[in-house]
Amino acid sequence: MDTTKTAAPAAPEADADAPEDKPATPGTAAAAPAADLGAEQAGTTGHAEETDETGETDETDEADADAEDVPERSTGAGAAASALVAAGLGLVALSGSWVSRVAAERQTLIGQIESVSATTAKEKIAALYGDAWHMTALVNGVLSTLALLLAVLVLAGPAFGAPGRVHPAWVRSVSWAAVALGLLGVLLFGLMYFDLLFPLPTAAQ
C-alpha cells in the first residue's frame, strides 16, 4: 500500500489576483505640481500687488495730511512792492514831482490874473509867487504823507497776519527808509506851507 501523499496544489500567490498598477497618464503627475506652483505664484503676486496698492494709498494719505497741516504762507510780494513804492514816493516828494510843478505853474497863472486887481505890493507878491509855492509844498506834502502811511502799514502788517510771520530784512529796511523820508517830507513841506521855513519877502513901502 502506497502511503505517499500527493502534494497539495500550491495556493495561488496572493499577488496574482491583485490588480496591477495602472500606468499613469502621461502629463497627469507633472500637471498637478505645476498647477499648485502656478496657484502659489498667483497668490504671491496678488498679495504683492495688494501690498503695493495699500502702501501707495497710505503714503498718499500721509502726504495729504502733511499738506493740510502746513499753513499757507504768503510770498510777501505785496509787502515788498508796497515798501518800494513808499520809498519811491518819499524820494519823489523831496526832489519835486511833476504833479507839484504843474500845479505850481497853474497857480502862478491864476496869480497873474488876480494880480491885475491887487492894490498892494504884498498882495501881488502873494498872488504871483506865494500861492504857487504853497501849492508845491501842499502837493509834495501829500506825497510824503502817503509814503509815510504806506511804510507804516507794511511794518505793522505782520502784527495782524499769521503768527510768526516776519518780513524779510530788506523789506523792513526799505520800509524804515520810507518812514524816514516821509517824516522828513511832512516836516519840511509843512514848514514851507505855513511860511515858517521860507517866509514870503516883503516889499518896501
Side-chain angles (χ1 to χ4, degrees):
M1 182 175 178
D2 189 5
T3 59
T4 303
K5 295 181 179 181
T6 304
E13 296 181 356
D15 295 336
D17 296 336
E20 297 180 356
D21 294 336
K22 296 181 179 180
T25 304
T28 303
D36 294 339
L37 180 60
E40 291 178 357
Q41 291 179 350
T44 305
T45 305
H47 180 68
E49 291 178 355
E50 182 179 358
T51 303
D52 294 340
E53 293 178 357
T54 306
E56 291 179 356
T57 305
D58 294 340
E59 292 177 356
T60 305
D61 294 340
E62 292 178 358
D64 294 340
D66 294 339
E68 292 178 356
D69 294 339
V70 176
E72 295 183 359
R73 295 183 178 179
S74 62
T75 57
S82 300
L84 293 175
V85 169
L89 283 176
L91 288 175
V92 168
L94 290 175
S95 61
S97 64
W98 177 82
V99 177
S100 64
R101 185 172 66 251
V102 171
E105 292 176 354
R106 179 179 181 277
Q107 191 62 39
T108 300
L109 179 59
I110 295 174
Q112 290 176 354
I113 297 173
E114 294 178 349
S115 63
V116 176
S117 59
T119 57
T120 62
K122 183 178 180 180
E123 291 178 354
K124 289 183 179 182
I125 292 173
L128 293 174
Y129 304 102
D131 294 342
W133 294 343
H134 292 165
M135 183 59 66
T136 302
L138 178 62
V139 174
N140 289 332
V142 170
L143 293 178
S144 297
T145 304
L146 291 176
L148 176 61
L149 293 177
L150 189 57
V152 170
L153 287 177
V154 172
L155 292 174
F160 301 98
R165 178 185 174 188
V166 179
H167 291 317
W170 73 269
V171 174
R172 297 195 301 271
S173 300
V174 174
S175 299
W176 280 115
V179 168
L181 292 173
L183 285 175
L184 180 60
V186 169
L187 179 61
L188 177 62
F189 295 120
L191 294 175
M192 291 178 61
Y193 184 81
F194 293 105
D195 295 330
L196 299 175
L197 184 61
F198 300 111
L200 288 175
T202 57
Q205 298 296 333

